[in-house]
Amino acid sequence: MVSNGGSNFLLGQTVPCLLFLVFGLVLLVSLQAEAAIKKYQFDVQVSNVSRLCHAKPIVTVNGRFPGPTIYAREGDRVVINVTNHAQYNMSIHWHGLKQYANGWADGPAYITQCPIKTGSSYVYDFNVTGQRGTLWWHAHILWLRATVYGAIVILPQQGTPYPFPKPDNEHVLVFGEWWHGDVEEIVKQGNAMGLPPNMSDAHTINGKPGPLFPCSEKHTFAMEVEQGKKYLLRIANAALNDELFFAISGHNMTVVEIDAVYTKPFTTSTILIAPGQTTNVLVYANSAPGRYFMAVRPFQDVPIPVDNKTATAILQYKGIPNTVLPSLPQLPSPNDTAFALSYNKMLRSLNTPNFQANVPLKVDRNLFFTIGLGKSVCPTCINGTRLSASLNNITFVMPQTALLQAHYSNMKGVFTADFPDKPPKAFNYTGAPLTANLFTTHGTRLSKIPFNSTVELVIQDTNLLSVESHPFHLHGYNFFVVGTGVGNFDPAKDPAKYNLVDPPERNTVGVPTGGWSAIRFRADNPGVWFFHCHLELHTGWGLKTAFVVEDGPGKDQAVRPPPKDLPPC
């Protein structure tokens, strides 16, 4: 009896231990499942690619064009080793990822890092915190993002549903531009003359222009659907210089997310998407089974030359033969300003208890930036001048040392933190075109922001040379687009019309032609964060600056030390 009692006693002790051990293992496994490490190897290499009856060498990642899609879950750590085998310096930006206190992983060359030289590698190591949805990645040096780009898909945490009907399947669509020639050579020629380089020869959907172009039957993206099912399309605009309309013949789309932030769903026949932006839409395969064209074409509402050709892909119902000719969708006219303004008005944050829109209601710092096109002296250029661009009449000069390194190490002489909060003088910004006094000042001047302060920035287009629509991207942050309008911003009247309840939250805002956009954000991410027009042409001309957000008082509120393998300058 005694021995039996002893074994029962031991068993009584062992079972809770075993249960505890099993529970611990389950917890560990579930935690690991929740916060996995996703590893990728990116080999930047030159590959021969044929489009429009013509082959040429292009810079790619892993020989693929577009590059691979990165998949992660909210909460994951992502580790991407980039090895540069190409002849150009390289850096890659993970567009829309916030990189909290970790600007070293943000990627813009000479802003947060010096580029990865030929034959070298650099590891981008970052956490995906509090973000889920579609973003994208691209080269952030020269015009190399013409071919070096791809999508980022961040799935919600396990067990967290979408706040919209669950799709039966999903597809990634990345829009781009294609040039017959070597893009870097084309840009060099333009710069040497002080003029814009030649525009692209085609637009593409997933790297393919579609059958309306020569030699492109096989270069057409096709997507099979089944009658009665619903599909999530994850769309990114990787074009260098064009805002794009997108529509699907015979089908409406329900917009459910922009820039990896859920929106109040609305149905539309066409979406408008600027370079740098992403949009998720639900499509219901409920039309007559057939083949339908998906089409993209630029929106441009000023008389500036643009590649206005239509790229197409095919949405094909299962069981329908390829011999059936697809129909084209009815896209808005290329200069349909009214559609562009009304579409952007429909975008609103979901703003539910699970996905709140925490709009700053009190503003600590008011900024007013004017966008100007202008001229710079260039003795070798035609007419002795080259086209340039400015914010508050300052054309940004790129440094030779990365700004984040200079800030972190207190290096002197790399930048000054005296970017003005407003332009040097007020004028009728959107009146008759201004063609005199177009010369700007040049400098590497940054705007310094105290940690955790709230910022309102009004971005005002001007008619210096010409009004134009400008998509502006802020690194390291999302912001709320609290207001937008046509004409001159009126500080006495316009703020009363702001949406402070459920404004769209995004990382790239389209400033309307001859108009303004007001954005708000809380400066709670320390570091140096690039702010620039996402039209590559204008960025190259100097339409950019950066914010230096100071460290906060907490130990996790300061810029982390740089990684050991940070590329040298």
Side-chain angles (χ1 to χ4, degrees):
M1 287 294 289
V2 172
S3 63
N4 205 8
S7 66
N8 280 343
F9 172 77
L10 285 171
L11 192 65
Q13 292 294 302
T14 309
V15 168
C17 287
L18 278 171
L19 282 172
F20 183 74
L21 193 65
V22 168
F23 176 74
L25 282 169
V26 167
L27 187 68
L28 188 67
V29 167
S30 69
L31 280 172
Q32 284 175 332
E34 277 178 16
I37 298 176
K38 301 286 166 58
K39 292 190 172 178
Y40 287 86
Q41 172 61 37
F42 272 26
D43 285 304
V44 177
Q45 60 198 67
V46 173
S47 309
N48 269 327
V49 171
S50 177
R51 293 289 184 276
L52 313 181
C53 322
H54 173 73
K56 69 169 186 175
I58 63 168
V59 182
T60 67
V61 167
N62 300 350
R64 293 164 63 180
F65 170 67
T69 298
I70 288 175
Y71 287 92
R73 262 191 203 282
E74 182 181 345
D76 283 353
R77 179 177 166 199
V78 180
V79 179
I80 303 165
N81 183 52
V82 177
T83 303
N84 185 11
H85 306 280
Q87 72 272 37
Y88 300 103
N89 284 343
M90 177 55 64
S91 75
I92 294 182
H93 171 50
W94 319 96
H95 184 115
L97 282 161
K98 293 181 186 171
Q99 309 290 12
Y100 186 81
N102 185 29
W104 313 111
D106 190 41
Y110 300 107
I111 306 297
T112 56
Q113 65 168 94
C114 285
I116 307 163
K117 296 186 171 72
T118 305
S120 298
S121 295
Y122 178 51
V123 175
Y124 292 94
D125 185 344
F126 53 87
N127 295 319
V128 180
T129 307
Q131 292 183 271
R132 82 292 307 158
T134 306
L135 295 169
W136 65 296
W137 58 265
H138 59 86
H140 213 304
I141 183 167
L142 306 171
W143 282 42
L144 292 171
R145 75 176 183 86
T147 56
V148 179
Y149 63 83
I152 300 173
V153 172
I154 306 165
L155 299 168
Q157 287 175 328
Q158 288 281 12
T160 305
Y162 292 124
F164 49 80
K166 186 174 190 267
D168 296 295
N169 207 339
E170 56 179 62
H171 296 273
V172 170
L173 298 181
V174 187
F175 306 149
E177 289 181 82
W178 179 265
W179 278 259
H180 277 307
D182 179 326
V183 179
E184 291 307 320
E185 284 305 314
I186 290 166
V187 173
K188 261 190 219 155
Q189 288 162 12
N191 286 344
M193 293 189 291
L195 297 171
N198 291 348
M199 67 185 102
S200 57
D201 297 294
H203 292 98
T204 58
I205 298 174
N206 289 348
K208 297 169 178 179
L212 304 187
F213 287 87
C215 307
S216 294
E217 280 294 332
K218 67 177 184 290
H219 298 306
T220 301
F221 175 74
M223 180 178 111
E224 188 178 77
V225 298
E226 288 184 53
Q227 178 76 28
K229 293 197 169 175
K230 51 188 170 299
Y231 296 84
L232 184 68
L233 303 188
R234 298 175 174 275
I235 302 166
N237 184 356
L240 278 86
N241 296 303
D242 294 338
E243 286 189 70
L244 297 167
F245 290 125
F246 171 73
I248 306 171
S249 176
H251 297 76
N252 282 331
M253 296 171 277
T254 303
V255 176
V256 293
E257 179 200 299
I258 53 171
D259 292 4
V261 179
Y262 296 133
T263 60
K264 288 188 168 66
F266 67 93
T267 301
T268 180
S269 60
T270 304
I271 67 163
L272 175 63
I273 184 166
Q277 293 181 338
T278 59
T279 304
N280 281 8
V281 299
L282 277 177
V283 176
Y284 291 82
N286 53 12
S287 292
R291 298 174 85 221
Y292 297 88
F293 270 133
M294 305 186 271
V296 294
R297 188 178 67 200
F299 162 62
Q300 177 60 277
D301 57 355
V302 285
I304 288 172
V306 67
D307 169 10
N308 60 6
K309 296 183 275 302
T310 303
T312 53
I314 294 172
L315 182 142
Q316 183 158 339
Y317 280 72
K318 194 173 182 176
I320 298 294
N322 289 352
T323 48
V324 175
L325 284 176
S327 55
L328 269 170
Q330 195 67 42
L331 287 164
S333 66
N335 63 350
D336 193 339
T337 308
F339 177 90
L341 292 170
S342 69
Y343 175 82
N344 282 319
K345 270 203 178 82
M346 289 191 281
L347 299 171
R348 303 168 88 140
S349 290
L350 190 59
N351 193 26
T352 59
N354 287 342
F355 305 105
Q356 293 180 358
N358 295 314
V359 188
L361 300 179
K362 180 180 80 65
V363 174
D364 299 320
R365 181 87 169 268
N366 281 284
L367 305 175
F368 184 79
F369 289 2
T370 53
I371 302 165
L373 299 178
K375 291 179 181 173
S376 298
V377 174
C378 172
T380 58
C381 296
I382 294 167
N383 302 328
T385 60
R386 72 153 40 106
L387 286 165
S388 65
S390 65
L391 285 168
N392 285 354
N393 208 45
I394 297 161
T395 297
F396 191 81
V397 176
M398 289 298 276
Q400 296 302 301
T401 301
L403 297 173
L404 182 59
Q405 284 173 275
H407 166 61
Y408 184 82
S409 310
N410 283 318
M411 255 181 246
K412 299 287 176 273
V414 177
F415 68 86
T416 55
D418 61 349
F419 189 90
D421 286 5
K422 56 184 196 293
K425 65 175 192 184
F427 59 96
N428 180 8
Y429 305 113
T430 55
L434 300 159
T435 51
N437 301 326
L438 289 174
F439 289 99
T440 60
T441 61
H442 290 64
T444 311
R445 297 171 67 180
L446 276 56
S447 180
K448 189 174 257 194
I449 310 283
F451 181 82
N452 214 32
S453 56
T454 52
V455 178
E456 178 176 308
L457 165 58
V458 176
I459 315 159
Q460 172 74 60
D461 188 28
T462 71
N463 211 345
L464 288 161
L465 276 187
S466 171
V467 289
E468 197 175 341
S469 173
H470 299 270
F472 265 86
H473 173 46
L474 176 59
H475 290 228
Y477 288 90
N478 281 355
F479 48 72
F480 293 97
V481 186
V482 294
T484 193
V486 174
N488 297 342
F489 174 73
D490 183 340
K493 292 182 181 162
D494 286 326
K497 301 178 212 149
Y498 284 174
N499 175 4
L500 300 177
V501 177
D502 59 355
E505 181 185 344
R506 51 189 337 163
N507 61 58
T508 304
V509 60
V511 178
T513 300
W516 55 271
S517 289
I519 65 171
R520 285 188 183 181
F521 63 96
R522 179 175 291 280
D524 57 3
N525 188 2
V528 177
W529 303 107
F530 206 17
F531 177 69
H532 62 98
C533 180
H534 219 282
L535 303 180
E536 213 54 40
L537 183 64
H538 293 168
T539 301
W541 286 353
L543 194 52
K544 52 197 172 188
T545 184
F547 291 105
V548 181
V549 177
E550 296 177 307
D551 287 348
K555 69 174 173 56
D556 296 331
Q557 296 173 338
V559 177
R560 288 187 210 166
K564 300 271 190 292
D565 63 339
L566 191 70
C569 294

